[in-house]
Amino acid sequence: MAIYKNISSPTTTTLIAKDSGVGGGIQKITIANKATATSNEILLDLHDGSNTFTILRTDMPPKTTLVLDDNLSFNSSVYNLRITTNSAADITVIIK
């Protein structure tokens, strides 16, 4: 089952919450910056409640898409998968 999230404000969003019943066996994460003029700093991390482990930190130009498809599985009973954005650019995240 795919997870779809649209984010349009600077925030930290939990994509997969620990112990939510959604497994951490991820095949691919697609992150798209749909804004036409605004770049966005993206931080993707795993968080266990006290420790944060950064998977990705990048600056995404407008109208770009990033695909992550290697070594993405994690223990979803221990970690939250989160994304943090720093601008109001429209971001779409798809997890499969």
Side-chain angles (χ1 to χ4, degrees):
M1 172 187 245
I3 297 170
Y4 302 90
K5 296 277 186 177
N6 287 310
I7 304 165
S8 60
S9 62
T11 187
T12 297
T13 302
T14 300
L15 300 170
I16 298 176
K18 68 179 175 181
D19 291 329
S20 65
V22 177
I26 298 172
Q27 300 294 318
K28 182 185 338 185
I29 300 174
T30 303
I31 304 169
N33 182 355
K34 302 181 298 181
T36 57
T38 308
S39 14
N40 202 331
E41 183 180 359
I42 302 292
L43 172 65
L44 189 67
D45 66 45
L46 295 173
H47 184 71
D48 67 3
S50 57
N51 298 302
T52 300
F53 302 95
T54 301
I55 297 170
L56 167 77
R57 172 173 263 146
T58 191
D59 198 22
M60 288 188 71
K63 297 183 179 181
T64 59
T65 300
L66 175 65
V67 178
L68 305 172
D69 62 359
D70 189 28
N71 298 318
L72 298 173
S73 295
F74 68 98
N75 186 342
S76 62
S77 65
V78 176
Y79 300 105
N80 293 305
L81 176 64
R82 306 184 310 177
I83 188 168
T84 302
T85 60
N86 75 341
S87 79
D90 287 330
I91 300 292
T92 296
V93 180
I94 302 171
I95 301 172
K96 292 183 178 182

